[in-house]
């Protein structure tokens, strides 16, 4: 029940200027200002922020691993289609290509 009233007060604070003034007056009488309320919200949500950050980091890691795997797949595929010729010592790239045509 308390959660319901808290949510209702938060919505009133956001949408109704008269209610916002009343709520801010009540908070000020207890020694709370906007900064204190914001910091308390952050402290209470810190665990959720940590979980969200961990999820973002793991997603980024999976994305990088997938890109690396795709790059390896493309490189392997291109090497099967166009196999590399072993380098012949003392020949220039032009001479190697001419030798490969014979």
């Amino acid at each position: 029940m308390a959660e319901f009233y808290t949510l209702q007060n938060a919505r009133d604070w956001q949408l109704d200027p008269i209610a916002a003034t009343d709520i801010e007056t009540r908070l000020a009488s207890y020694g709370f200002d906007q900064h204190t309320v914001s910091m308390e919200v952050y402290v209470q949500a810190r665990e959720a922020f940590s979980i969200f950050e961990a999820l973002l980091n793991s997603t980024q890691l999976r994305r990088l691993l997938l890109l690396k795997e795709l790059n390896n797949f493309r490189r392997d595929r291109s090497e099967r289609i166009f196999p590399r010729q072993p380098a012949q010592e003392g020949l220039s790239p032009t001479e190697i290509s001419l030798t490969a045509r014979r």
Side-chain angles (χ1 to χ4, degrees):
M1 197 59 153
E3 185 177 347
F4 171 76
Y5 288 118
T6 302
L7 291 173
Q8 184 179 0
N9 281 341
R11 189 178 21 197
D12 288 345
W13 191 3
Q14 183 180 15
L15 301 175
D16 185 3
I18 297 170
T21 304
D22 180 46
I23 292 169
E24 288 173 10
T25 303
R26 281 189 284 156
L27 287 171
S29 70
Y30 292 109
F32 297 108
D33 61 355
Q34 184 68 34
H35 180 71
T36 306
V37 172
S38 296
M39 289 309 297
E40 183 63 28
V41 168
Y42 175 76
V43 167
Q44 290 183 11
R46 181 178 50 202
E47 185 177 336
F49 288 148
S50 297
I51 292 170
F52 187 68
E53 183 179 15
L55 288 171
L56 286 173
N57 289 338
S58 68
T59 302
Q60 177 72 358
L61 179 62
R62 285 195 317 257
R63 182 175 109 13
L64 289 173
L65 290 173
L66 182 60
L67 288 172
K68 182 178 179 182
E69 190 65 29
L70 284 170
N71 189 36
N72 289 339
F73 174 76
R74 287 177 181 160
R75 186 179 59 231
D76 291 345
R77 186 173 166 204
S78 69
E79 286 177 358
R80 275 187 270 138
I81 295 170
F82 305 107
R84 293 183 179 171
Q85 297 287 330
Q88 298 175 7
E89 288 188 38
L91 297 178
S92 70
T94 306
E95 292 170 329
I96 291 172
S97 66
L98 292 174
T99 307
R101 289 183 188 167
R102 293 180 189 168

